[in-house]
Amino acid sequence: MRICVYGAASPTIDPEYMEKVEQMGKEMVKRGHSLVFGGGGNGLMGAAARGVRSAGGHILGVIPKFFDDEKVEAVCDFCDELIEPDTMRQRKQIMEDNADAFLVVPGGIGTFEEFFEILTLKQLCRHNKPIAIYNIRGYYNEINTAMMEAMKKNFIRDNCTELYEISDDLDALFRYIEAPVKNIRTVKELKDG
């Protein structure tokens, strides 16, 4: 299975996050999966890639050309395949098209945006791929609380919690990703409007 990992590019975050995500990359390969990711060499993107590489797995990186041209972010230099589209929109589409599942690790604005976009597309029945959130050290607790509050106030339907799994238990997340895909409902059942 090709798992797209969304996560931080920052090299200045707590090393515990790096260690857990690098271990996650090793576990992906142990379970027979390959990595699709944003092509960054630092942060949790780099950690995932290092873990996959150290276990002998396949890595597809997707990073816009301007990241290297304008020194926005370090590019991972050991991808098996590296695609360099022109725009961020193209980057996300290529990653989505090449993934069988999505695994979200801690990250910033870009990671939040990627998660919410892929979740929205699932809610709109544009794909039916597993979405898992690796909630290391409770990083996503507040976002999860905000989602529950939006459901309580009828901004989001309650059944949208069926569209993703959130846990700090990596084995549980892999079991969720690897399980047979449940049929999703129709758009009308998942979204008001």
Side-chain angles (χ1 to χ4, degrees), residues 55-166:
H58 186 271
I59 302 169
L60 168 61
V62 185
I63 193 163
K65 290 178 201 162
F66 76 86
F67 273 55
D68 193 30
D69 295 344
E70 299 175 23
K71 305 301 180 220
V72 173
E73 182 179 307
V75 178
C76 180
D77 60 1
F78 52 81
C79 296
D80 295 291
E81 298 175 69
L82 184 67
I83 300 172
E84 296 181 282
D86 292 322
T87 69
M88 293 292 283
R89 290 179 194 272
Q90 291 169 337
R91 176 198 213 184
K92 290 186 297 180
Q93 188 66 57
I94 293 166
M95 291 166 66
E96 180 188 335
D97 291 346
N98 281 280
D100 302 305
F102 303 92
L103 184 49
V104 183
V105 301
I109 293 169
T111 303
F112 299 159
E113 188 263 343
E114 289 164 329
F115 164 63
F116 281 112
E117 180 171 337
I118 210 67
L119 180 62
T120 299
L121 291 171
K122 190 168 183 179
Q123 180 191 39
L124 294 171
C125 300
R126 301 302 95 186
H127 75 85
N128 193 22
K129 300 172 184 178
I131 302 170
I133 301 171
Y134 190 14
N135 194 23
I136 300 169
R137 292 174 59 181
Y139 184 81
Y140 283 106
N141 287 353
E142 286 78 12
I143 286 180
N144 197 48
T145 298
M147 294 284 285
M148 296 304 119
E149 189 66 18
M151 289 176 200
K152 199 184 317 178
K153 292 178 178 172
N154 296 317
F155 285 94
I156 301 173
R157 289 215 177 163
D158 290 348
N159 57 18
C160 282
T161 57
E162 298 171 22
L163 300 178
Y164 64 96
E165 185 73 20
I166 182 169

